[in-house]
């Protein structure tokens, strides 16, 4: 249990209505955590909420509430959804937690002592929707809303000082920014001189933030505050032992739109504070509806709640994991969801389950038959299952989750073929022992496939394993309890018409 695995999601803006994009990253982190937990790693999974900034302050004002009351009212929309989606996070952080505020102040002090913070007057274009200063060029591309010209005195972090050190780190640590095309994107960006980062906002303009420890007229820029959550949660500045046990993080999972803040701001902040960098920042693509990104402004957001209410949690988790090639964009359509569900879950997986259980109930009084002595066909399935476990492990460790799932399904499809070829439903009439061996082999294969799919569909797989009277999550061959009486269960994956 010693090998640690620490994974994070972005902390989501508390003001947003949770949508499929948030659900996706959180489910992905959950699948990776459950997988690593299953292979004996000491896992820690963090998610949470980003609660400071102008938008929260404005929304609260409109509602006649204090910003904190507003955050408290909004937070359960996320925590409720995570419970519903079987998210097994170890910690839920909110940037308004006292503990986090202390850590942000501590980091600011350390960076200040380093001589990496200075005050200066700045005039520029400010996008309220992005909560940051933008360049003239960015203002022209039309992506930023609520742009104002602002001139004010602020504090700056000497990000430029760490440019070369960052480039070296990225080049010598091939896994630091993943996938590769994102690494190249950042290296391209770093070919131009890096600006320093404005890390304060005057309270006269925005007061919903963490006060700077060295000037009470200012609050901390929301991204500087938010990124620090990743070290707060594991005990930085509070519990040194715990911190060194968990940090550096194995993965920061993010969407591609927040790559610069994670791959440039965050590592330079850590360098200045003398803290080790995370092992890997992994940027996934976007879920698209048709050709465009799902977004609130476009009004094409798929509400995860609706999907779950209609089809159940685990099929939605399955679809999201099976359909996205990590690192690329994927298209979300209800049609492809239904097609995927029917072909993989209802047909391949569900059919194998109902075939074996029906035959065992009908011919063996519900008792799992004896495997007898395995013949060539069965020995080959057994060795395929061993190869499958090794392949799936490699693929998941290489962040090729969709391929891992496809491998498992290929295995299940082959077991269905084995059933058709040997037709135990005919054989059982003359040779019960031989038919029993086939049914045992098919059921054991189904069990192994199910255990491998547990991280993706924890709920339905648990029902299935319970029906097979096989609760442990051991995926080596022979885990099925011969002689145990199968338990009746509802159809796990009824066909969607
Ligand atoms: N609060 C910041 C993150 C701070 S982390 C220190 C933030 N929050 S967010 O709520 O706007 O977005 C969080 C994540 O959701 C981002 O990684 C973003 O890429 C992701 N998604 C938003 N829409 C998405 C899709 N349509 N598809 C996939 N993920 C997308 O940014």
């Amino acid at each position: 249990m010693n090998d640690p695995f620490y994974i994070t999601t972005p902390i989501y803006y508390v003001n947003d209505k949770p949508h499929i994009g948030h659900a996706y990253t959180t489910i992905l982190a959950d699948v990776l955590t459950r997988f690593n937990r299953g292979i004996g790693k000491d896992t820690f999974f963090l998610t949470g909420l980003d609660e400071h900034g102008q938008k929260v302050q404005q929304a609260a004002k409109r509602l006649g509430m204090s910003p904190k009351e507003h955050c408290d009212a909004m937070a359960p929309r996320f925590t409720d959804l995570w419970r519903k989606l079987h998210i097994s996070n170890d910690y839920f952080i909110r940037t308004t937690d006292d503990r986090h505020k202390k850590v942000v102040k501590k980091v600011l002090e350390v960076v200040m002592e380093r001589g990496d913070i200075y005050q200066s007057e700045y005039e520029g274009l400010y996008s309220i929707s992005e909560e940051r200063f933008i360049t003239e060029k960015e203002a022209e591309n039309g992506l930023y809303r609520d742009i104002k010209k602002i001139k004010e005195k602020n504090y700056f972090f000497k990000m430029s000082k760490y440019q070369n050190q960052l480039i070296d780190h990225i080049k010598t640590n091939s896994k630091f920014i993943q996938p590769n095309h994102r690494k190249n994107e950042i290296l391209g960006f770093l070919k131009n001189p890096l600006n320093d980062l404005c890390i304060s906002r005057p309270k006269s303009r925005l007061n919903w933030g963490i006060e700077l420890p060295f000037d009470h007229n200012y609050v901390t820029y929301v991204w500087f505050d938010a990124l620090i959550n990743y070290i707060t949660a594991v005990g930085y500045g509070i519990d040194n032992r715990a911190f060194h046990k968990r940090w550096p993080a194995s993965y920061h999972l993010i969407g591609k739109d927040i790559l610069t803040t994670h791959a440039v701001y965050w590592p330079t902040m850590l360098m200045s504070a003398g803290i080790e960098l995370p092992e890997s920042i992994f940027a996934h693509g976007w879920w698209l509806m048709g050709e465009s990104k799902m977004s609130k402004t476009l009004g094409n957001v798929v509400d995860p709640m609706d999907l779950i209410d209609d089809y159940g949690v685990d099929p939605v988790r399955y679809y999201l994991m099976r359909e996205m090639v990590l690192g690329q964009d994927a298209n979300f359509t209800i049609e492809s969801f239904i097609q995927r569900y029917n072909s993989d879950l209802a047909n391949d997986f569900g059919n194998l389950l109902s075939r074996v259980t029906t035959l065992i109930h009908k011919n063996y009084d519900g008792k799992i038959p004896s495997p007898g002595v395995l013949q060539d066909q069965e020995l080959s399935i057994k060795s395929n299952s061993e190869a499958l476990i090794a392949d799936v492990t490699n693929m998941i460790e290489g962040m090729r989750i969709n391929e891992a799932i496809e491998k498992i399904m290929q295995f299940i499809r082959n077991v269905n073929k084995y059933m058709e070829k040997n037709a135990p439903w005919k054989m059982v009439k003359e040779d019960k022992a031989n038919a029993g061996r086939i049914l045992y082999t098919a059921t054991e294969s189904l069990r192994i496939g199910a255990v491998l799919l547990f991280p993706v569909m924890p709920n339905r797989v648990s029902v299935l394993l319970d029906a097979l009277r096989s609760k442990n999550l051991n995926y080596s061959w022979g885990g099925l309890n011969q002689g145990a009486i199968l338990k009746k269960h509802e159809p796990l994956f009824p066909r969607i018409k």
Side-chain angles (χ1 to χ4, degrees):
M1 275 292 284
N2 286 328
D3 203 3
F5 179 83
Y6 172 29
I7 192 163
T8 68
T9 73
I11 47 171
Y12 305 111
Y13 290 126
V14 67
N15 249 8
D16 278 3
K17 188 161 188 252
H19 60 70
I20 208 82
H22 306 121
Y24 173 71
T25 321
T26 313
I27 292 170
L28 176 61
D30 189 60
V31 170
L32 292 168
T33 303
R34 287 179 188 271
F35 179 79
N36 280 284
R37 207 182 275 145
I39 59 173
K41 289 199 185 172
D42 183 6
T43 56
F44 193 81
F45 167 14
L46 172 70
T47 186
L49 293 174
D50 193 350
E51 302 194 335
H52 290 122
Q54 195 123 338
K55 279 180 273 183
V56 175
Q57 182 174 314
Q58 286 169 342
K61 198 171 164 200
R62 273 197 304 276
L63 295 164
M65 285 182 186
S66 77
K68 181 68 168 85
E69 281 168 344
H70 177 55
C71 292
D72 290 346
M74 303 294 268
R77 294 177 320 157
F78 283 90
T79 45
D80 289 350
L81 179 61
W82 300 156
R83 205 170 309 120
K84 205 162 171 177
L85 292 178
H86 314 312
I87 300 301
S88 61
N89 57 305
D90 295 283
Y91 195 80
F92 189 83
I93 194 163
R94 298 179 55 187
T95 52
T96 48
D97 294 341
D98 280 340
R99 163 173 164 156
H100 177 68
K101 290 191 234 169
K102 277 192 201 131
V103 174
V104 171
K105 288 184 182 180
K106 165 139 183 130
V107 172
L108 282 163
E109 276 161 357
V110 174
V111 174
M112 185 68 156
E113 272 164 34
R114 259 284 167 117
D116 287 346
I117 294 177
Y118 62 94
Q119 206 182 18
S120 163
E121 184 147 64
Y122 186 82
E123 181 169 6
L125 298 172
Y126 191 85
S127 159
I128 296 179
S129 70
E130 286 294 300
E131 308 235 23
R132 67 174 175 92
F133 284 99
I134 57 172
T135 60
E136 299 271 349
K137 212 170 154 201
E138 284 177 319
E140 280 163 17
N141 74 15
L143 287 173
Y144 302 94
R145 285 169 294 123
D146 306 331
I147 302 171
K148 275 187 189 166
K149 195 164 202 154
I150 286 182
K151 182 178 178 184
E152 65 191 16
K153 244 189 175 165
N154 266 310
Y155 287 89
F156 287 80
F157 163 54
K158 287 188 189 164
M159 195 154 75
S160 57
K161 181 175 154 189
Y162 297 96
Q163 177 160 9
N164 290 334
Q165 201 180 325
L166 177 61
I167 295 173
D168 285 349
H169 186 86
I170 297 172
K171 287 188 173 161
T172 44
N173 293 275
S174 62
K175 300 224 146 157
F176 182 58
I177 302 174
Q178 294 186 61
N180 234 353
H181 60 279
R182 297 290 166 215
K183 173 171 91 182
N184 295 336
E185 186 182 314
I186 291 293
L187 286 173
F189 174 79
L190 289 170
K191 284 200 174 118
N192 299 315
L194 196 56
N195 291 328
D196 288 343
L197 182 67
C198 177
I199 55 159
S200 67
R201 298 292 181 258
K203 280 193 185 166
S204 53
R205 181 154 70 78
L206 165 76
N207 62 32
W208 183 235
I210 300 173
E211 193 178 286
L212 293 185
F214 39 80
D215 190 337
H216 63 259
N217 293 311
Y218 290 86
V219 296
T220 312
Y221 167 47
V222 68
W223 269 101
F224 196 95
D225 153 0
L227 287 161
I228 290 172
N229 92 86
Y230 300 134
I231 56 174
T232 302
V234 287
Y236 176 79
I238 299 160
D239 181 345
N240 235 343
R241 247 190 65 184
F243 180 64
H244 288 291
K245 183 173 161 215
R246 301 275 178 217
W247 190 260
S250 318
Y251 280 106
H252 288 321
L253 293 181
I254 58 166
K256 62 180 182 181
D257 52 326
I258 54 175
L259 182 63
T260 315
T261 48
H262 281 80
V264 179
Y265 297 8
W266 180 225
T268 53
M269 286 163 64
L270 290 168
M271 282 171 179
S272 171
I275 302 169
E276 239 186 294
L277 304 196
E279 281 164 21
S280 184
I281 296 160
F282 195 105
H284 62 70
W286 282 341
W287 280 99
L288 307 174
M289 289 290 268
E291 289 306 301
S292 50
K293 183 190 174 204
M294 226 177 278
S295 83
K296 237 181 351 190
T297 15
L298 292 173
N300 60 358
V301 174
V302 174
D303 188 338
M305 289 299 198
D306 292 346
L307 270 183
I308 293 159
D309 290 344
D310 292 346
Y311 306 107
V313 174
D314 282 2
V316 173
R317 289 174 60 116
Y318 181 86
Y319 173 77
L320 293 174
M321 293 301 114
R322 171 64 187 82
E323 218 64 16
M324 186 175 262
V325 178
L326 262 167
Q328 293 172 21
D329 291 346
N331 245 302
F332 190 104
T333 65
I334 297 292
E335 294 75 22
S336 74
F337 170 81
I338 293 177
Q339 201 187 1
R340 182 58 75 193
Y341 174 97
N342 278 341
S343 73
D344 290 11
L345 298 178
N347 269 4
D348 298 338
F349 202 77
N351 268 355
L352 182 57
L353 171 66
S354 74
R355 268 177 167 170
V356 295
T357 51
T358 311
L359 285 171
I360 292 174
H361 277 298
K362 203 167 144 202
N363 301 292
Y364 299 82
D365 299 327
K367 267 194 207 149
I368 298 174
S370 155
V373 181
L374 302 188
Q375 310 289 308
D376 283 355
Q377 285 189 82
E378 288 82 28
L379 290 172
S380 144
I381 291 183
K382 183 179 169 207
S383 82
N384 286 347
S385 83
E386 283 152 7
L388 174 71
I389 293 160
D391 284 347
V392 166
T393 307
N394 275 335
M395 286 168 174
I396 296 188
E397 284 174 351
M399 297 297 246
R400 285 146 58 205
I401 303 208
N402 62 316
E403 288 176 47
I405 294 177
E406 178 50 26
K407 270 263 156 190
I408 300 168
M409 281 303 160
Q410 273 169 14
F411 175 75
I412 295 291
R413 283 194 285 271
N414 281 335
V415 177
N416 270 323
K417 281 192 196 132
Y418 161 79
M419 286 284 283
E420 269 145 39
K421 186 171 162 212
N422 291 285
W425 44 89
K426 284 188 200 147
M427 192 189 285
V428 74
K429 290 175 196 138
E430 296 112 47
D431 189 344
K432 232 173 153 177
N434 258 337
R437 184 185 72 243
I438 288 155
L439 284 174
Y440 177 93
T441 304
T443 314
E444 174 61 351
S445 302
L446 175 70
R447 186 193 68 80
I448 291 174
V451 173
L452 287 170
L453 285 172
F454 175 79
V456 181
M457 300 190 288
N459 201 33
R460 302 227 180 161
V461 165
S462 297
V463 175
L464 189 155
L465 294 177
D466 185 42
L468 300 181
R469 304 287 183 184
S470 166
K471 279 205 180 126
N472 71 51
L473 291 173
N474 169 8
Y475 41 54
S476 36
W477 187 271
L480 197 61
N481 297 317
Q482 176 215 325
I485 298 183
L486 294 183
K487 190 167 150 183
K488 296 241 167 169
H489 62 91
E490 295 291 306
L492 274 190
F493 301 108
R495 234 188 132 69
I496 301 175
K497 300 242 159 56

